[in-house]
């Protein structure tokens, strides 16, 4: 069974979702992310994906107090990303209770730094964030496109020991138009040992079941849950 990972995206301490990563297209779903996390745990989820959107935009982590409150209020395994650029950012995330951190931009701009973190903290604590637009990796809160093609980018880090990859199709994120199953299937075909987390576009139970049938190990979803499009009782 595919691993189910609900997401909480944070701006100004509130639980929000963006459309295609556009900060001007923000919907606030709850003013207290901690209450949302507690509800996810009550529903039977074991893991949570937390994104500091303020951090991604500011290029340093911002919402650490929210992270700390979530990890102190639940037993969820929390992976945290958004704005992690330095050793101090990683240490702060772990101090606030994160079990894993998601690193995207630094892996593109400073590969030696990310490789050092991979060695220092271990592959089980590091998630490589691969945010994709038109086949190319994007960074810094999806505001900057790069010339890094996805599969070669992944190959470089798989050879350095990366085990966990969060791959988001930016063009689908927050659109409820269905996930990029063909993209994720291509990644798994190229690197079958990866624990790949599919992200972007999930709109229904059927979308999750499709990913499961295609052998995708894990999926992140947010907007579809918040808008009542996913029946949790039929998934967990």
């Amino acid at each position: 069974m595919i691993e189910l990972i609900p997401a909480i995206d944070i701006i100004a301490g509130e639980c929000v979702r963006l459309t295609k990563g556009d900060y001007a297209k923000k919907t606030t779903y709850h003013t207290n992310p901690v209450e949302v996390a507690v509800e996810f745990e009550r529903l039977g989820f074991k893991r949570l994906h937390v994104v500091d959107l303020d951090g991604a935009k500011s290029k340093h982590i911002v919402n650490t107090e929210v992270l700390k409150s979530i990890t102190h209020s639940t037993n969820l395994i929390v992976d945290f990303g958004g704005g992690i650029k330095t050793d101090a950012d990683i240490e702060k995330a772990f101090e606030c209770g994160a079990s894993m951190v998601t690193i995207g931009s630094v892996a593109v701009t400073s590969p030696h730094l990310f490789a050092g973190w991979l060695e220092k903290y271990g592959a089980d604590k590091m998630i490589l964030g691969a945010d994709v637009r038109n086949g190319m990796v994007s960074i810094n809160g999806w505001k900057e496109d790069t010339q890094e093609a996805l599969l070669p980018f992944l190959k470089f880090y798989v050879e350095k020991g990366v085990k966990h990859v969060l791959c988001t199709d930016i063009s689908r994120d927050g659109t409820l138009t269905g996930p990029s199953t063909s993209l994720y299937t291509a990644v798994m075909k190229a690197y079958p040992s990866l624990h790949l987390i599919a992200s972007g576009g999930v709109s229904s139970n059927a979308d999750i079941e499709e990913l499961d049938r295609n052998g995708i190990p894990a999926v992140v979803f947010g907007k579809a849950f918040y808008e009542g499009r996913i029946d949790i009782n039929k998934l967990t």
Side-chain angles (χ1 to χ4, degrees), residues 40-97:
F40 281 137
E41 185 172 41
R42 188 193 68 77
L43 289 169
F45 293 104
K46 305 298 182 185
R47 184 165 163 184
L48 179 65
H49 177 58
V50 176
V51 182
D52 182 354
L53 289 174
D54 292 313
K57 194 173 185 179
S58 302
K59 301 184 182 181
H60 61 84
I61 60 176
V62 174
N63 287 288
T64 51
E65 289 305 311
V66 177
L67 172 62
K68 185 186 296 184
S69 295
I70 288 173
T71 58
H72 285 189
S73 301
T74 72
N75 292 310
L76 293 166
I77 297 168
V78 176
D79 71 75
F80 179 79
I84 295 176
K85 305 292 186 185
T86 65
D87 287 86
D89 287 330
I90 292 181
E91 294 293 344
K92 185 65 174 177
F94 287 144
E95 286 171 11
C96 291

Side-chain angles (χ1 to χ4, degrees), residues 61-199:
I61 60 176
V62 174
N63 287 288
T64 51
E65 289 305 311
V66 177
L67 172 62
K68 185 186 296 184
S69 295
I70 288 173
T71 58
H72 285 189
S73 301
T74 72
N75 292 310
L76 293 166
I77 297 168
V78 176
D79 71 75
F80 179 79
I84 295 176
K85 305 292 186 185
T86 65
D87 287 86
D89 287 330
I90 292 181
E91 294 293 344
K92 185 65 174 177
F94 287 144
E95 286 171 11
C96 291
S99 298
M100 309 172 79
V101 291
T102 300
I103 311 292
S105 301
V106 167
V108 176
T109 60
S110 303
H112 294 297
L113 181 58
F114 179 76
W117 290 343
L118 192 63
E119 184 174 349
K120 179 178 180 180
Y121 298 104
D124 288 330
K125 286 188 168 291
M126 307 293 289
I127 302 171
L128 175 62
D131 301 325
V132 184
R133 181 161 33 218
N134 299 322
M136 298 294 180
V137 176
S138 292
I139 60 174
N140 293 327
W142 303 349
K143 297 191 303 297
E144 299 174 34
D145 294 329
T146 74
Q147 297 303 307
E148 291 277 358
L150 176 62
L151 290 181
F153 175 71
L154 294 179
K155 181 176 187 294
F156 178 81
Y157 282 113
V158 167
E159 291 176 350
K160 291 188 177 299
V162 160
K163 296 179 182 178
H164 304 275
V165 171
L166 173 68
C167 185
T168 302
D169 183 342
I170 298 168
S171 70
R172 303 287 185 102
D173 194 70
T175 64
L176 300 173
T177 55
S180 294
T181 305
S182 59
L183 172 68
Y184 308 129
T185 303
V187 171
M188 290 307 301
K189 182 178 180 180
Y191 309 110
S193 65
L194 279 181
H195 184 265
L196 177 67
I197 307 166
S199 172

